[in-house]
Amino acid sequence: MTSIAVQPFTGTYRALPVPSSFAFAVRHSGVFWYRGSLSDVAATLRADGDALALEGSARVDSISVVEPAAMRASVLGPEFFDAERHPEITFRSTAVRLADDGRAEVDGELTIRGVTRPVTASGHYAPPRPTSFGEVAGLELQTSFDRREFGFDWQMQLPGGGDAVSWDVDVDIDLLLKREDADD
């Protein structure tokens, strides 16, 4: 990835809760993608010269799994997210790299269920621009991980063979960022 000559971000940008999103997908029964999202998302991108730092969190109980009630209880329960003891998923960057062609790569630490693991996410960014409601920018990132690394060990073998739920989880994060310390 080539680096940009001039850092396009200065100041602090906060993700607008709507339409920012944290979405996930996991292969279910070997035949379809089970997709969901966490709607209560917070993120901050701070720029200081050429250094960038991205931090974020998502409340587990904002998961889109609502019906059936037993499935929601299972997903929020101790076999999966254990939301009572670990109500948030958090992320803190260790490196943010932006390319002059709009590509972005972020290394950091993802914490789920009290377990922290290194991850790398890649995607695209849209540099800051003025709008009628302030200076905004965009950041879209994708990553994947093996859910066992975070203690999601539940599995059930299907009658014809294979796993009920894939070990691999795909994550898509899409942030609309508004500069909070600029004159609007």
Side-chain angles (χ1 to χ4, degrees):
M1 175 180 295
T2 59
S3 62
I4 59 172
V6 177
Q7 171 55 263
F9 293 93
T10 58
T12 300
Y13 294 78
R14 292 212 187 276
L16 298 178
V18 176
S20 296
S21 64
F22 179 104
F24 61 89
V26 62
R27 199 84 172 139
H28 195 283
S29 302
V31 296
F32 74 100
W33 285 97
Y34 187 89
R35 299 178 193 281
S37 63
L38 302 175
S39 61
D40 190 349
V41 175
T44 303
L45 179 68
R46 287 186 180 84
D48 182 16
D50 288 336
L52 288 173
L54 178 65
E55 294 182 10
S57 65
R59 292 210 39 91
V60 174
D61 63 0
S62 73
I63 197 164
S64 60
V65 178
V66 177
E67 295 292 333
M71 184 171 183
R72 180 177 176 81
S74 176
V75 168
L76 293 177
E79 289 182 331
F80 287 95
F81 282 102
D82 197 5
E84 188 173 307
R85 291 184 16 191
H86 306 286
E88 287 188 326
I89 294 172
T90 62
F91 175 82
R92 181 181 318 267
S93 68
T94 55
V96 177
R97 292 176 297 282
L98 304 177
D100 53 5
D101 63 359
R103 288 181 295 143
E105 191 170 271
V106 179
D107 297 329
E109 297 176 336
L110 179 64
T111 302
I112 304 174
R113 293 177 45 109
V115 176
T116 302
R117 298 282 185 255
V119 296
T120 297
S122 59
H124 295 89
Y125 75 97
R129 65 182 311 162
T131 67
S132 61
F133 60 95
E135 185 177 298
V136 298
L139 185 60
E140 177 188 0
L141 298 168
Q142 296 83 35
T143 192
S144 63
F145 58 84
D146 184 322
R147 63 187 175 91
R148 293 173 287 196
E149 294 178 2
F150 294 95
F152 290 84
D153 297 327
W154 181 89
Q155 190 58 271
M156 183 176 78
Q157 293 299 303
L158 297 172
D163 295 331
V165 181
S166 170
W167 295 115
D168 295 325
V169 178
D170 292 342
V171 175
D172 289 307
I173 299 162
D174 201 356
L175 303 174
L176 173 58
L177 300 159
K178 182 179 180 209
R179 185 168 174 186
E180 70 174 13
D181 52 356
D183 295 329
D184 292 336

